[in-house]
Amino acid sequence: MDETDVLDQIVEHPLVLAVMDRLLKPNYLLSQLQVIDIGPGEQAQHLHPDDGFYPNPRPRSALSVAIIVAVDAFTADNGATVVIPNSHRWDDHLPTPAETATAIEAQMTPGSILFFLGTAWHGGGANQTNRSRMCVTAQYCQPWCRTQENFSLSVSIPRAARSSDNMQRLLGYSIHPPFMGFVNGMHPKRLLDITE
Ligand SMILES: O=C(O)CCC(=O)C(=O)O
């Protein structure tokens, strides 16, 4: 078992994929997968949109969608993620102090999921407690975008071969029509057949 196998069930949870199916084009990709632990006394993270590194000017449709799954309860004082409502519609400006003041905390019970578009301004909150606040976060992007983590290099072909069809698709064993993602002129899943 690899270290992140346990997270597959979150990445490909039917509820999560159902939302991604609505918001992204077929054969969207897993862009990033992380565990984030905000320790006691940590200051609030700078607010940011997750897909800001794609240079296309705003306002625009989101090129990615994020989930944050609470492992610990998210509370007002332990670093719950804060999100600025409607900021996914903004142009390229930075949040003003008045806009920053409208950010709301995503208070969640363990196991709850926060979904937000990659264009939405958000950040980890300040942890004013003496216990850490852990979450699992994943980002999914349009099938024509470059992913943040290069999963086609970091996940071995044998490991991909024993993953589910959904995971294989999310890791890049898929084609965005007419032929983005091909390998040697063939569908990339052919690589997995050869391994088997
Ligand atoms: O941990 C969180 O609440 C948010 C983290 C985040 O937005 C990030 O690391 O980009």
Side-chain angles (χ1 to χ4, degrees), residues 69-74 107-113:
V69 183
V71 175
D72 298 307
F74 276 29
Q107 297 189 37
M108 301 195 279
T109 52
S112 302
I113 306 178

Side-chain angles (χ1 to χ4, degrees), residues 34 36 38 45 48 50 68 74 79-81 122-125 133 135:
Q34 286 184 322
I36 298 179
I38 299 185
Q45 186 183 32
H48 58 279
D50 276 342
I68 292 188
F74 276 29
T81 312
H122 69 281
R133 187 239 66 181
C135 73

Side-chain angles (χ1 to χ4, degrees), residues 115-132:
F115 292 82
F116 55 92
L117 297 173
T119 39
W121 284 79
H122 69 281
N127 187 347
Q128 297 161 336
T129 71
N130 57 11
R131 301 189 57 181
S132 59

